[in-house]
Amino acid sequence: MPRVNFEALPDAARLWVFSAATPVMGAAAQSLLERVDRELDGWRAHGVPLVCARDWRDDRFLAIGVNEAATDASGCSIDAMFSALRAHEGVIGTTLVGNGAVYWRDASGTVQSVTRPVFRALAADGAVSSDTPVFDTAITTAIAWRTAFEKPARDSWHARLLPPAR
């Protein structure tokens, strides 16, 4: 039983965040999560099952975590997960791996995504600010997913994309 509930992962569990370029809802989300669960159920490193879990947020963000205190993920096992997700992108109709977008929550609460240059332009125009909630898809631990994934732009690497404070 290598797959556990996400809440069962220790705070120090290693984490990868995959972000959908467009929202994944309904049957597409169900298909994605079923595929991920099947992959996690059989996920191994050098033949040893990985203690792992996944979480899904805002129809956009998939977190996959591994309790490396139990068993380390290997390069090959990590590559296999990335490949499985890439292979499923056509089924769900959007990218999950390596889209490089910037994600934020607009005033209505909807998650938006654009390229870094577009986000910088939105900041220059005042459409986003240091108070805008942003998502840090570069986090690498379960505790960061639980406590610091969404935060004001001023408290994230996104601050580099904002105009200098006056």
Side-chain angles (χ1 to χ4, degrees), residues 93-111:
T94 191
T95 59
L96 283 167
V97 179
N99 68 30
V102 174
Y103 294 85
W104 82 97
R105 193 176 299 279
D106 68 18
S108 72
T110 303
V111 176

PDB file of all heavy atoms in Angstrom, residues 93-111:
ATOM      1  N   GLY A  93      -6.766  17.606 -22.516  1.00  0.00           N
ATOM      2  CA  GLY A  93      -6.843  18.797 -23.355  1.00  0.00           C
ATOM      3  C   GLY A  93      -6.037  19.993 -22.892  1.00  0.00           C
ATOM      4  O   GLY A  93      -6.334  21.123 -23.276  1.00  0.00           O
ATOM      5  N   THR A  94      -5.023  19.766 -22.081  1.00  0.00           N
ATOM      6  CA  THR A  94      -4.166  20.874 -21.641  1.00  0.00           C
ATOM      7  C   THR A  94      -2.816  20.323 -21.191  1.00  0.00           C
ATOM      8  O   THR A  94      -2.672  19.121 -20.983  1.00  0.00           O
ATOM      9  CB  THR A  94      -4.823  21.679 -20.494  1.00  0.00           C
ATOM     10  OG1 THR A  94      -4.083  22.885 -20.290  1.00  0.00           O
ATOM     11  CG2 THR A  94      -4.912  20.898 -19.215  1.00  0.00           C
ATOM     12  N   THR A  95      -1.845  21.213 -21.043  1.00  0.00           N
ATOM     13  CA  THR A  95      -0.532  20.785 -20.566  1.00  0.00           C
ATOM     14  C   THR A  95      -0.490  20.810 -19.045  1.00  0.00           C
ATOM     15  O   THR A  95      -1.179  21.594 -18.395  1.00  0.00           O
ATOM     16  CB  THR A  95       0.581  21.712 -21.102  1.00  0.00           C
ATOM     17  OG1 THR A  95       0.319  23.041 -20.677  1.00  0.00           O
ATOM     18  CG2 THR A  95       0.658  21.654 -22.617  1.00  0.00           C
ATOM     19  N   LEU A  96       0.325  19.936 -18.498  1.00  0.00           N
ATOM     20  CA  LEU A  96       0.574  19.865 -17.058  1.00  0.00           C
ATOM     21  C   LEU A  96       2.048  20.014 -16.734  1.00  0.00           C
ATOM     22  O   LEU A  96       2.408  20.395 -15.640  1.00  0.00           O
ATOM     23  CB  LEU A  96       0.124  18.505 -16.504  1.00  0.00           C
ATOM     24  CG  LEU A  96      -1.349  18.275 -16.301  1.00  0.00           C
ATOM     25  CD1 LEU A  96      -1.621  16.803 -16.059  1.00  0.00           C
ATOM     26  CD2 LEU A  96      -1.844  19.097 -15.135  1.00  0.00           C
ATOM     27  N   VAL A  97       2.872  19.660 -17.683  1.00  0.00           N
ATOM     28  CA  VAL A  97       4.313  19.580 -17.446  1.00  0.00           C
ATOM     29  C   VAL A  97       5.024  20.698 -18.206  1.00  0.00           C
ATOM     30  O   VAL A  97       4.881  20.818 -19.424  1.00  0.00           O
ATOM     31  CB  VAL A  97       4.868  18.210 -17.896  1.00  0.00           C
ATOM     32  CG1 VAL A  97       6.370  18.133 -17.683  1.00  0.00           C
ATOM     33  CG2 VAL A  97       4.164  17.081 -17.152  1.00  0.00           C
ATOM     34  N   GLY A  98       5.747  21.533 -17.468  1.00  0.00           N
ATOM     35  CA  GLY A  98       6.644  22.503 -18.078  1.00  0.00           C
ATOM     36  C   GLY A  98       6.009  23.630 -18.857  1.00  0.00           C
ATOM     37  O   GLY A  98       6.600  24.115 -19.805  1.00  0.00           O
ATOM     38  N   ASN A  99       4.835  24.106 -18.437  1.00  0.00           N
ATOM     39  CA  ASN A  99       4.258  25.200 -19.215  1.00  0.00           C
ATOM     40  C   ASN A  99       4.809  26.563 -18.791  1.00  0.00           C
ATOM     41  O   ASN A  99       4.630  27.541 -19.503  1.00  0.00           O
ATOM     42  CB  ASN A  99       2.726  25.174 -19.190  1.00  0.00           C
ATOM     43  CG  ASN A  99       2.110  25.491 -17.852  1.00  0.00           C
ATOM     44  OD1 ASN A  99       2.671  26.247 -17.059  1.00  0.00           O
ATOM     45  ND2 ASN A  99       0.948  24.931 -17.591  1.00  0.00           N
ATOM     46  N   GLY A 100       5.465  26.665 -17.638  1.00  0.00           N
ATOM     47  CA  GLY A 100       6.160  27.883 -17.223  1.00  0.00           C
ATOM     48  C   GLY A 100       5.287  29.101 -16.980  1.00  0.00           C
ATOM     49  O   GLY A 100       5.789  30.215 -16.941  1.00  0.00           O
ATOM     50  N   ALA A 101       4.002  28.911 -16.830  1.00  0.00           N
ATOM     51  CA  ALA A 101       3.097  30.045 -16.632  1.00  0.00           C
ATOM     52  C   ALA A 101       3.179  30.590 -15.209  1.00  0.00           C
ATOM     53  O   ALA A 101       3.662  29.918 -14.295  1.00  0.00           O
ATOM     54  CB  ALA A 101       1.659  29.620 -16.936  1.00  0.00           C
ATOM     55  N   VAL A 102       2.698  31.812 -15.053  1.00  0.00           N
ATOM     56  CA  VAL A 102       2.527  32.442 -13.751  1.00  0.00           C
ATOM     57  C   VAL A 102       1.042  32.342 -13.417  1.00  0.00           C
ATOM     58  O   VAL A 102       0.192  32.660 -14.254  1.00  0.00           O
ATOM     59  CB  VAL A 102       2.963  33.919 -13.791  1.00  0.00           C
ATOM     60  CG1 VAL A 102       2.661  34.615 -12.475  1.00  0.00           C
ATOM     61  CG2 VAL A 102       4.444  34.017 -14.130  1.00  0.00           C
ATOM     62  N   TYR A 103       0.740  31.916 -12.202  1.00  0.00           N
ATOM     63  CA  TYR A 103      -0.648  31.722 -11.770  1.00  0.00           C
ATOM     64  C   TYR A 103      -0.970  32.680 -10.636  1.00  0.00           C
ATOM     65  O   TYR A 103      -0.164  32.867  -9.731  1.00  0.00           O
ATOM     66  CB  TYR A 103      -0.852  30.285 -11.290  1.00  0.00           C
ATOM     67  CG  TYR A 103      -0.709  29.278 -12.402  1.00  0.00           C
ATOM     68  CD1 TYR A 103       0.543  28.789 -12.763  1.00  0.00           C
ATOM     69  CD2 TYR A 103      -1.817  28.838 -13.103  1.00  0.00           C
ATOM     70  CE1 TYR A 103       0.681  27.885 -13.795  1.00  0.00           C
ATOM     71  CE2 TYR A 103      -1.690  27.934 -14.140  1.00  0.00           C
ATOM     72  CZ  TYR A 103      -0.441  27.464 -14.489  1.00  0.00           C
ATOM     73  OH  TYR A 103      -0.298  26.571 -15.522  1.00  0.00           O
ATOM     74  N   TRP A 104      -2.165  33.264 -10.698  1.00  0.00           N
ATOM     75  CA  TRP A 104      -2.625  34.147  -9.632  1.00  0.00           C
ATOM     76  C   TRP A 104      -4.136  34.047  -9.539  1.00  0.00           C
ATOM     77  O   TRP A 104      -4.802  33.545 -10.433  1.00  0.00           O
ATOM     78  CB  TRP A 104      -2.151  35.582  -9.856  1.00  0.00           C
ATOM     79  CG  TRP A 104      -2.983  36.384 -10.818  1.00  0.00           C
ATOM     80  CD1 TRP A 104      -3.980  37.264 -10.501  1.00  0.00           C
ATOM     81  CD2 TRP A 104      -2.903  36.396 -12.239  1.00  0.00           C
ATOM     82  NE1 TRP A 104      -4.515  37.812 -11.636  1.00  0.00           N
ATOM     83  CE2 TRP A 104      -3.867  37.287 -12.717  1.00  0.00           C
ATOM     84  CE3 TRP A 104      -2.109  35.722 -13.158  1.00  0.00           C
ATOM     85  CZ2 TRP A 104      -4.060  37.532 -14.075  1.00  0.00           C
ATOM     86  CZ3 TRP A 104      -2.301  35.957 -14.505  1.00  0.00           C
ATOM     87  CH2 TRP A 104      -3.260  36.854 -14.942  1.00  0.00           C
ATOM     88  N   ARG A 105      -4.670  34.543  -8.433  1.00  0.00           N
ATOM     89  CA  ARG A 105      -6.113  34.555  -8.211  1.00  0.00           C
ATOM     90  C   ARG A 105      -6.611  35.983  -8.440  1.00  0.00           C
ATOM     91  O   ARG A 105      -6.122  36.919  -7.821  1.00  0.00           O
ATOM     92  CB  ARG A 105      -6.429  34.084  -6.785  1.00  0.00           C
ATOM     93  CG  ARG A 105      -7.887  33.764  -6.571  1.00  0.00           C
ATOM     94  CD  ARG A 105      -8.153  33.207  -5.179  1.00  0.00           C
ATOM     95  NE  ARG A 105      -7.476  31.978  -4.866  1.00  0.00           N
ATOM     96  CZ  ARG A 105      -7.877  30.750  -5.248  1.00  0.00           C
ATOM     97  NH1 ARG A 105      -8.945  30.618  -6.008  1.00  0.00           N
ATOM     98  NH2 ARG A 105      -7.196  29.684  -4.877  1.00  0.00           N
ATOM     99  N   ASP A 106      -7.576  36.115  -9.349  1.00  0.00           N
ATOM    100  CA  ASP A 106      -8.098  37.456  -9.631  1.00  0.00           C
ATOM    101  C   ASP A 106      -9.107  37.880  -8.560  1.00  0.00           C
ATOM    102  O   ASP A 106      -9.410  37.126  -7.634  1.00  0.00           O
ATOM    103  CB  ASP A 106      -8.668  37.552 -11.051  1.00  0.00           C
ATOM    104  CG  ASP A 106      -9.932  36.741 -11.276  1.00  0.00           C
ATOM    105  OD1 ASP A 106     -10.612  36.341 -10.297  1.00  0.00           O
ATOM    106  OD2 ASP A 106     -10.258  36.499 -12.459  1.00  0.00           O
ATOM    107  N   ALA A 107      -9.634  39.092  -8.687  1.00  0.00           N
ATOM    108  CA  ALA A 107     -10.529  39.661  -7.672  1.00  0.00           C
ATOM    109  C   ALA A 107     -11.799  38.834  -7.476  1.00  0.00           C
ATOM    110  O   ALA A 107     -12.372  38.831  -6.392  1.00  0.00           O
ATOM    111  CB  ALA A 107     -10.884  41.093  -8.043  1.00  0.00           C
ATOM    112  N   SER A 108     -12.198  38.080  -8.511  1.00  0.00           N
ATOM    113  CA  SER A 108     -13.396  37.239  -8.384  1.00  0.00           C
ATOM    114  C   SER A 108     -13.080  35.872  -7.777  1.00  0.00           C
ATOM    115  O   SER A 108     -13.985  35.082  -7.554  1.00  0.00           O
ATOM    116  CB  SER A 108     -14.061  37.062  -9.750  1.00  0.00           C
ATOM    117  OG  SER A 108     -13.274  36.210 -10.574  1.00  0.00           O
ATOM    118  N   GLY A 109     -11.793  35.605  -7.539  1.00  0.00           N
ATOM    119  CA  GLY A 109     -11.392  34.335  -6.957  1.00  0.00           C
ATOM    120  C   GLY A 109     -10.999  33.282  -7.978  1.00  0.00           C
ATOM    121  O   GLY A 109     -10.644  32.158  -7.609  1.00  0.00           O
ATOM    122  N   THR A 110     -11.026  33.633  -9.248  1.00  0.00           N
ATOM    123  CA  THR A 110     -10.688  32.694 -10.308  1.00  0.00           C
ATOM    124  C   THR A 110      -9.179  32.642 -10.514  1.00  0.00           C
ATOM    125  O   THR A 110      -8.514  33.678 -10.517  1.00  0.00           O
ATOM    126  CB  THR A 110     -11.369  33.114 -11.628  1.00  0.00           C
ATOM    127  OG1 THR A 110     -12.780  33.183 -11.406  1.00  0.00           O
ATOM    128  CG2 THR A 110     -11.078  32.142 -12.752  1.00  0.00           C
ATOM    129  N   VAL A 111      -8.660  31.438 -10.696  1.00  0.00           N
ATOM    130  CA  VAL A 111      -7.228  31.279 -10.978  1.00  0.00           C
ATOM    131  C   VAL A 111      -6.977  31.649 -12.437  1.00  0.00           C
ATOM    132  O   VAL A 111      -7.655  31.162 -13.340  1.00  0.00           O
ATOM    133  CB  VAL A 111      -6.761  29.841 -10.699  1.00  0.00           C
ATOM    134  CG1 VAL A 111      -5.297  29.660 -11.101  1.00  0.00           C
ATOM    135  CG2 VAL A 111      -6.968  29.491  -9.233  1.00  0.00           C
TER     136      VAL A 111
END
